Amino acid sequence: MEGFTVGLALLDFVPVVAFGLAGIIAGLSMGSPLFLVGAVLSTLAGCFKAGWKLILGAFKKDIHWMNKCFVPMQAAGFLLMMFGATLSLMRVGMAVMD
């Protein structure tokens, strides 16, 4: 694959880190370990993808598993985040009703 530069690959880490920090802050504020696990899984998927681009740009070496794991890990992470947020909202709703 051509077109990946080191600078562009490094720039890909910026939104990954921002998403990871936001996910940790949100998970902690909700008190949801499930949300936190999902956020970490999604962030790890982004790190693999950005790392794959960095290696491809710097060394012209394609490490397939770093690219192929992105979609399943991202989907699983978002699903866990959705369940964690839903359970947190349900817990808050039950507390309000009591």
Side-chain angles (χ1 to χ4, degrees):
M1 233 180 196
E2 295 181 26
F4 290 111
T5 64
V6 173
L8 185 61
L10 290 173
L11 193 60
D12 275 353
F13 280 101
V14 174
V16 172
V17 170
F19 175 85
L21 291 174
I24 291 170
I25 291 168
L28 290 174
S29 67
M30 280 188 272
S32 175
L34 194 58
F35 188 95
L36 275 172
V37 169
V40 168
L41 187 60
S42 292
T43 302
L44 188 59
C47 286
F48 281 146
K49 184 73 168 196
W52 171 74
K53 290 178 182 179
L54 182 61
I55 291 169
L56 194 59
F59 304 108
K60 308 295 185 227
K61 182 167 174 62
D62 187 2
I63 302 176
H64 295 286
W65 68 266
M66 290 181 78
N67 183 31
K68 298 295 182 192
C69 69
F70 177 74
V71 172
M73 286 177 69
Q74 192 80 9
F78 280 134
L79 192 62
L80 289 173
M81 290 170 68
M82 183 183 70
F83 284 141
T86 301
L87 290 173
S88 181
L89 287 171
M90 289 172 62
R91 189 174 58 238
V92 168
M94 292 297 203
V96 169
M97 291 173 58
D98 286 339

